[in-house]
Amino acid sequence: MSLTKASYSLITGAPVNVKDFGAVGDGVTNDTAAIQAALDHAATLQGTTVFMPAGNYLVTSTLLFTGHSTRLVGSGRGIIPGTYALDDGGTQIDYTGSGYVISFNGKHYCEVADLTIRSTTASGGIYCGDIAHYFQVNRVVVDGQNGAGVATGFSSAGIAIERSYYGTIQGCDIANCAANGIFGFRECNGNFIQMNSIRQCGTGIRITDDTSNSDGTQIISNEIESARTDPGSGYAISLLGADSMMVIGNRIEWTSNGHIFINSNVGVAQLHQLLGYVLEGPAPGIILGDGTGSNQVVGTYI
């Protein structure tokens, strides 16, 4: 298996297969305990890859990372690219519980990659929080649609970042979240959110500061479309009290209330760089709210 330097740094033990711990992946058997047992075993190895072969895994409660440097990796995202139609060749988690589907649980250097998460009951898809520094979420689908075109899942966020630094969310497809596609709050510092597709979420990417610092996150080359007014705020990117964001080369289409919204929120001084946008649709392009500090807007096509 060919490994990049970045992925190799996360692997310190032999791969673990969830089917060796009793997971079935038939969409009927409850595989929660088996997958959790595989994650717990990986923790005893001081970190390794937990592999989920192609299949439909029924999960009913949050899967917790219990050791640092652990990866949970599927065999593919389980969709036909660009359509969100199911592809049986991938790895899919069907979640029927509450709370988050997967939580890094304060563990560093952990990763979720190459799988699909679907739920109409979860409040969140992946929780990168409680001081889970250097996390990675790569090539993951998060979908909250109930099959009838209504987003009922992920009432908090498809992917949430809280009190975690220097992580990466990249190459993900996030769709039909009742609230935020990606939500960073309480010390969401120095993270990279890049090359993701976010569709039909209340707000596409929301970074906020609720008296704790949220500084220096980079939002680069994402495609965000059709942020809704029901039940979210209808912005593609919302920066509320966050500092020193670098927002570069994103394409935003057909949001309800506005493409980019910046507000002081808690009176924090701000300096954001907004570079190289394509903003399409009748909504306001960039909205500067009360108490907004200095911002640089360059090379934006509206």
Side-chain angles (χ1 to χ4, degrees):
M1 179 173 63
S2 176
L3 299 173
T4 66
K5 181 178 180 181
S7 62
Y8 182 79
S9 67
L10 292 172
I11 302 174
T12 57
V16 171
N17 192 318
V18 296
K19 291 198 172 183
D20 291 337
F21 291 80
V24 179
D26 61 0
V28 177
T29 304
N30 188 340
D31 288 320
T32 309
I35 299 171
Q36 187 61 60
L39 289 168
D40 292 344
H41 179 69
T44 68
L45 302 175
Q46 304 302 311
T48 190
T49 297
V50 176
F51 177 60
M52 298 179 66
N56 187 340
Y57 296 85
L58 176 63
V59 174
T60 58
S61 60
T62 302
L63 299 172
L64 298 174
F65 280 64
T66 53
H68 300 298
S69 302
T70 299
R71 305 173 72 229
L72 180 65
V73 179
S75 66
R77 297 186 297 172
I79 62 166
I80 300 172
T83 67
Y84 288 98
L86 289 178
D87 176 355
D88 291 336
T91 297
Q92 179 175 327
I93 296 175
D94 277 338
Y95 187 77
T96 61
S98 59
Y100 285 87
V101 181
I102 297 170
S103 173
F104 287 142
N105 199 35
K107 305 305 178 185
H108 304 328
Y109 299 101
C110 291
E111 180 182 9
V112 176
D114 298 313
L115 52 79
T116 292
I117 298 171
R118 293 181 183 271
S119 179
T120 59
T121 60
S123 61
I126 300 174
Y127 177 65
C128 314
D130 197 21
I131 313 179
H133 301 332
Y134 307 101
F135 64 84
Q136 293 189 39
V137 182
N138 295 316
R139 302 173 302 279
V140 171
V141 171
V142 179
D143 188 357
Q145 189 175 129
N146 65 0
V150 179
T152 60
F154 310 114
S155 57
S156 175
I159 301 174
I161 310 168
E162 180 183 15
R163 299 181 66 206
S164 296
Y165 304 169
Y166 312 121
T168 300
I169 300 171
Q170 178 171 282
C172 296
D173 293 284
I174 303 171
N176 305 305
C177 295
N180 308 284
I182 297 174
F183 183 27
F185 59 103
R186 292 189 63 214
E187 300 180 53
C188 170
N189 294 342
N191 297 296
F192 295 86
I193 300 171
Q194 56 194 24
M195 295 184 290
N196 303 288
S197 173
I198 303 173
R199 310 178 190 183
Q200 295 291 346
C201 297
T203 291
I205 298 172
R206 180 183 180 190
I207 308 293
T208 188
D209 181 339
D210 56 354
T211 73
S212 297
N213 293 327
S214 288
D215 300 334
T217 285
Q218 299 188 32
I219 302 171
I220 302 173
S221 298
N222 300 280
E223 182 178 21
I224 306 169
E225 62 178 87
S226 302
R228 308 182 314 269
T229 56
D230 179 18
S233 57
Y235 300 109
I237 297 173
S238 179
L239 306 176
L240 304 177
D243 282 334
S244 303
M245 302 289 115
M246 183 173 289
V247 190
I248 301 175
N250 298 278
R251 182 179 182 89
I252 299 172
E253 301 181 5
W254 300 98
T255 60
S256 296
N257 290 353
H259 294 325
I260 301 170
F261 177 61
I262 302 173
N263 195 300
S264 70
N265 195 34
V266 291
V268 178
Q270 299 169 350
L271 173 58
H272 301 307
Q273 291 182 301
L274 311 177
L275 310 176
Y277 275 91
V278 175
L279 307 178
E280 181 177 342
I286 298 173
I287 302 172
L288 303 179
D290 295 339
T292 302
S294 300
N295 295 281
Q296 180 183 30
V297 182
V298 177
T300 295
Y301 177 80
I302 301 176

